[in-house]
Amino acid sequence: MKINGTSYRTIWPDRDKPGIVNIIDQRLLPFEFIIEKLTDVDQVVTAIKDMHVRGAGLIGATAGFGMHIAAATAPQHRLMDFLEEAGEKLNNSRPTARNLKWAVDRVLLEVQQADTVAERRRIAFETACQIAEEDAEFCRRLGQHGLEIIRDISKKKNGEPVNILTHCNAGWLAFVDYGSATAPIYAARDAGIDVHVWVDETRPWNQGSRLTAWELQQEGIANTLITDNTGGHIMQNGMVDLVLVGTDRTTRTGDVANKIGTYLKALAAFDNNIPFFVALPSSTFDWDLDNGHDIPIEIREGNELTEISGVDVNGKKQTVTLTAPNTRAANFSFDVTPARLVTGLITERGIVAAEEKAIAKMYPEHTGERGQERGQA
Ligand code: MRU
């Protein structure tokens, strides 16, 4: 997608120098556009943990490239041990996004197929590139499926703008390209449908105000920033046609973990009869989990609530305190929306009910382990 008219992806390997990977440091957006080079595993872990990169798909792609960096920098005589250790560190960097472990496991599995160090290094690189390509392609495809939902609403409204509310940033910055929740919006724009997006601010990290609003602006999509508590009011007043969000982890039964505050949007949408759709590539499904309560919810540092950063009127970066000294803050980063509140899941294979049987039918290759376990019990 575009930044000041130039197309970028959120992560890309240095083609000339193996073991170097480029990312956009998202902590500084939209005020500064800085490309950071990652060259060792600890740097990758920090980039994920401290949110230089963020969003489920991009966390997965970064973990994949982290395994490539590990393979490229590992001592010859202990490549596999080094990769296992790197995988463990990466897995521990952030707990909620499923794509992280999925990517680490995929590289480990592929690498084990080869015998020589050179082969393993090559495979680690190729697998990381495949993960990134697939992430972008799956988002593009789910955008085409989600487009049909927006098209139907547009027809019912005789071409009047379709008002879509989104929470956090499930845009291209949260993936390698296109985004999940934003992919249908970009597809609708390309199909000539009039869309307008209500962007939740998404305190405390402000993914909505700093990233989503900026990203949509760069793509020329009409959008309006709102505080996180505004959704209920505008839904009651007929100003929202569709809620479209992403997810960091979704169970095989359709329970959806997403940025804190999503559950409240789902409740308000349910009460107001507004469709609430969740967009995700299949790498975000947790095929081992039956119940959203079992999804690990990240709790981040309280200073993300008690302080805020931005630029002052002179364009100088500032961080200010918002609270009295020693104010205690609980910073739950995600919540779980139960499947019963989800109208449907938009995936790269199509739109599916947030329901175990329907999901299993769409992804029969994952009906294995857990389903059988339960059947035998
Ligand atoms: O804490 P973050 O920014 O990594 O959280 C991820 C998100 O941006 C959202 O929860 C998003 O809606 C789903 S990730 C595609």
Side-chain angles (χ1 to χ4, degrees):
M1 305 303 288
K2 292 206 172 58
I3 298 176
N4 296 331
T6 305
S7 290
Y8 280 93
R9 283 191 162 184
T10 52
I11 188 163
W12 63 98
D14 202 311
R15 291 278 166 190
D16 302 326
K17 300 190 194 106
I20 299 183
V21 173
N22 301 283
I23 56 165
I24 300 167
D25 188 342
Q26 299 195 16
R27 295 170 306 166
L28 309 171
L29 292 175
F31 312 113
E32 275 183 84
F33 178 72
I34 302 279
I35 293 172
E36 181 183 355
K37 287 194 182 300
L38 304 176
T39 55
D40 70 44
V41 176
D42 290 333
Q43 247 182 322
V44 180
V45 169
T46 302
I48 296 174
K49 198 188 277 253
D50 294 349
M51 294 173 67
H52 308 201
V53 290
R54 35 134 319 269
L58 180 55
I59 290 173
T62 308
F65 280 118
M67 294 299 279
H68 149 61
I69 292 174
T73 55
Q76 288 246 1
H77 64 283
R78 55 182 300 271
L79 182 111
M80 280 317 292
D81 286 347
F82 197 87
L83 279 180
E84 299 274 353
E85 286 159 24
E88 177 129 3
K89 282 192 213 168
L90 288 163
N91 278 334
N92 290 332
S93 58
R94 285 192 78 190
T96 305
R98 179 60 179 171
N99 306 54
L100 205 173
K101 184 171 173 348
W102 170 85
V104 166
D105 287 352
R106 181 162 162 180
V107 177
L108 281 175
L109 191 75
E110 292 296 333
V111 159
Q112 277 158 12
Q113 316 298 319
D115 299 319
T116 67
V117 167
E119 269 286 278
R120 286 181 167 161
R121 287 192 166 135
R122 183 183 61 76
I123 289 176
F125 177 67
E126 281 173 7
T127 309
C129 291
Q130 275 162 18
I131 288 170
E133 282 305 317
E134 204 175 280
D135 182 85
E137 173 56 17
F138 282 12
C139 284
R140 192 193 64 76
R141 282 190 214 167
L142 72 83
Q144 294 303 311
H145 297 301
L147 162 62
E148 297 313 317
I149 297 167
I150 301 177
R151 202 196 297 279
D152 282 353
I153 297 172
S154 169
K155 274 190 196 144
K156 281 186 196 133
K157 291 187 77 177
N158 294 321
E160 288 293 302
V162 178
N163 289 301
I164 301 166
L165 184 143
T166 195
H167 189 67
C168 197
N169 174 264
W172 75 271
L173 291 165
F175 288 85
V176 174
D177 213 345
Y178 301 102
S180 57
T182 50
I185 297 170
Y186 294 133
R189 181 264 324 262
D190 294 344
I193 298 170
D194 205 350
V195 285
H196 164 262
V197 183
W198 296 108
V199 178
D200 278 354
E201 179 187 23
T202 321
R203 281 284 290 147
W205 212 79
N206 295 327
Q207 284 93 336
S209 54
R210 291 198 307 104
L211 304 179
T212 306
W214 178 73
E215 168 179 334
L216 293 172
Q217 232 169 292
Q218 294 289 325
E219 286 292 324
I221 307 268
N223 68 93
T224 307
L225 180 66
I226 50 177
T227 65
D228 291 328
N229 296 326
T230 302
H233 172 70
I234 57 176
M235 286 190 216
Q236 279 178 328
N237 284 281
M239 296 158 85
V240 179
D241 300 304
L242 167 69
V243 180
L244 197 44
V245 297
T247 166
D248 300 84
R249 192 185 295 223
T250 290
T251 65
R252 57 187 295 125
T253 53
D255 292 339
V256 169
N258 194 47
K259 183 55 60 189
I260 192 79
T262 303
Y263 172 47
L264 292 176
K265 295 293 138 34
L267 284 172
F270 189 79
D271 193 44
N272 290 283
N273 235 337
I274 293 167
F276 179 95
F277 279 92
V278 178
L280 72 160
S282 49
S283 46
T284 303
F285 277 112
D286 188 332
W287 303 108
D288 294 330
L289 287 190
D290 295 330
N291 194 323
H293 291 302
D294 296 329
I295 296 175
I297 299 295
E298 179 176 19
I299 301 175
R300 295 184 62 84
E301 292 297 322
N303 72 329
E304 289 183 355
L305 263 87
T306 58
E307 295 168 2
I308 200 159
S309 300
V311 297
D312 66 17
V313 284
N314 301 313
K316 193 165 169 260
K317 262 189 286 174
Q318 301 280 7
T319 299
V320 296
T321 302
L322 298 169
T323 58
N326 304 322
T327 298
R328 219 165 89 182
N331 187 6
F332 296 97
S333 215
F334 300 92
D335 62 22
V336 175
T337 299
R340 70 187 159 79
L341 297 177
V342 177
T343 312
L345 303 171
I346 307 168
T347 76
E348 75 274 4
R349 291 193 189 172
I351 298 168
V352 63
E355 195 266 315
E356 183 170 12
K357 280 207 180 97
I359 296 170
K361 197 167 167 209
M362 183 166 270
Y363 290 96
E365 68 273 34
H366 292 289
T367 50
E369 314 92 81
R370 279 304 283 243
Q372 277 166 15
E373 251 172 52
R374 276 202 312 280
Q376 283 160 7

